Amino acid sequence: MDRDNREGMEQAIRGAEGLLELGLFTEAEAVFRQLAQEAPEHYRVWLGLARLRSRNFTQPDPNAQGLLERAASFAMTVDEYNDLKATVGSYAQLPPFAHGEQAPDRMPDVEQLEKLHPISVPVSSQEAVLEAREAARLKYLKCLLLIVVVIGLPTAFIVSCSNGVNPITNALLSDSQQEVPPPTTHPATTEAATEPEPEGCPYAEPTDTVKPGAEGEDVKWIQWQLVRQGAELEITGAFDEDTRQAVQAFQSDRDMKADGIVGEETREKLGE
């Protein structure tokens, strides 16, 4: 068989197997029945018929076992036999691989293989595959759109309320034309509002070496000092990767060993 014929046959088998994967059993049956006439020596043809009869090995079928045994008898190599076993799984027990011994009267005829003609998947089956894929894609897009609508609307309403653009509040305010006088500011209140916060770190300075992975007040002291030194860091009390990198950057800027560990020397530099 020339190369084009072999490739055409393989393409037809792959197309029929694709129809089975999509659950298009009616379309797959027409292709496999034609393949059974044109390529009866190909083990995947009988494997496909067994999958077709058992609805892709999801339903018990008394004839599937015979089809699987026939597929095993046409396996030309151990690799093909192993591929057959991997596809069948636990659906049926296959006979041991015995090429030429199990069924010598049904061995492939090389001359007959050379005479096979390529089979193309019917256009209707190809269209069915495309339609099934398009339907699956549209179903996915609809689900995605529904998720966006369900999650997006409440989120947008909450954000609008937090930004002072609540439509309900705006409607009530538009009905009221009364001007609200500005609040009177008392000197005592102004002084209290502008009074600077007390300086100094609110956390106690560590007395021991603090390493990555630690948690607690000692870590908060380190993070507070790093922020004071200009690091962009959150004071969480957890010596995480961001904190370690900030410590290393601080140590490198001061010509210290950048190991990310806050020992006595690093602690003294942080407190300056």
Side-chain angles (χ1 to χ4, degrees):
M1 180 191 302
D2 57 35
R3 182 177 179 181
D4 292 339
N5 284 347
R6 292 182 184 276
E7 290 181 354
M9 190 66 64
E10 289 294 328
Q11 181 181 5
I13 294 176
R14 287 195 301 270
E17 291 172 342
L19 294 174
L20 284 178
E21 295 293 339
L22 293 172
L24 302 175
F25 301 107
T26 303
E27 292 81 357
E29 183 175 4
V31 182
F32 272 116
R33 290 194 180 281
Q34 186 179 359
L35 285 169
Q37 296 177 0
E38 296 290 335
E41 296 83 7
H42 204 305
Y43 79 99
R44 281 166 58 192
V45 173
W46 302 106
L47 172 60
L49 288 173
R51 291 176 59 185
L52 180 64
R53 295 297 298 269
S54 60
R55 290 297 184 262
N56 208 7
F57 301 133
T58 59
Q59 298 178 10
D61 187 275
N63 297 320
Q65 179 64 33
L67 293 170
L68 291 173
E69 293 176 355
R70 191 166 187 180
S73 69
F74 285 124
M76 297 292 291
T77 64
V78 176
D79 290 338
E80 290 183 353
Y81 181 79
N82 290 334
D83 175 64
L84 178 63
K85 287 188 64 176
T87 305
V88 173
S90 60
Y91 181 84
Q93 185 68 30
L94 292 178
F97 178 75
H99 183 66
E101 299 177 3
Q102 180 179 329
D105 58 322
R106 283 156 57 186
M107 289 301 298
D109 186 350
V110 177
E111 294 182 359
Q112 188 175 2
L113 284 174
E114 294 295 332
K115 296 177 182 178
L116 292 178
H117 300 288
I119 299 175
S120 60
V121 180
V123 177
S124 59
S125 299
Q126 295 179 357
E127 293 176 351
V129 173
L130 295 176
E131 290 177 0
R133 291 177 178 173
E134 182 65 17
R137 187 181 71 85
L138 292 177
K139 183 178 180 181
Y140 169 78
L141 292 177
K142 289 180 180 179
C143 292
L144 184 62
L145 179 61
L146 180 61
I147 292 174
V148 171
V149 171
V150 171
I151 296 178
L153 289 180
T155 303
F157 184 80
I158 294 173
V159 171
S160 65
C161 292
S162 63
N163 292 335
V165 292
N166 187 338
I168 300 177
T169 304
N170 289 345
L172 294 175
L173 291 176
S174 62
D175 293 339
S176 175
Q177 301 298 331
Q178 297 180 357
E179 295 184 359
V180 180
T184 304
T185 302
H186 299 285
T189 305
T190 305
E191 293 177 0
T194 58
E195 183 179 352
E197 296 182 357
E199 297 182 356
C201 180
Y203 310 105
E205 181 178 348
T207 57
D208 297 325
T209 300
V210 184
K211 299 180 179 180
E215 295 181 355
E217 297 292 310
D218 292 347
V219 179
K220 290 184 178 181
W221 183 88
I222 295 171
Q223 292 172 333
W224 191 92
Q225 297 293 352
L226 289 170
V227 172
R228 185 176 64 87
Q229 298 287 347
E232 295 182 1
L233 201 63
E234 294 183 5
I235 302 176
T236 62
F239 204 136
D240 51 12
E241 181 63 19
D242 293 339
T243 304
R244 184 186 67 79
Q245 293 179 3
V247 172
Q248 287 181 324
F250 177 85
Q251 292 170 332
S252 298
D253 291 341
R254 287 154 182 79
D255 298 326
M256 294 187 293
K257 181 181 179 181
D259 55 2
I261 299 174
V262 180
E264 182 178 357
E265 181 182 4
T266 303
R267 191 169 61 247
E268 290 178 357
K269 295 292 185 181
L270 283 170
E272 291 179 357

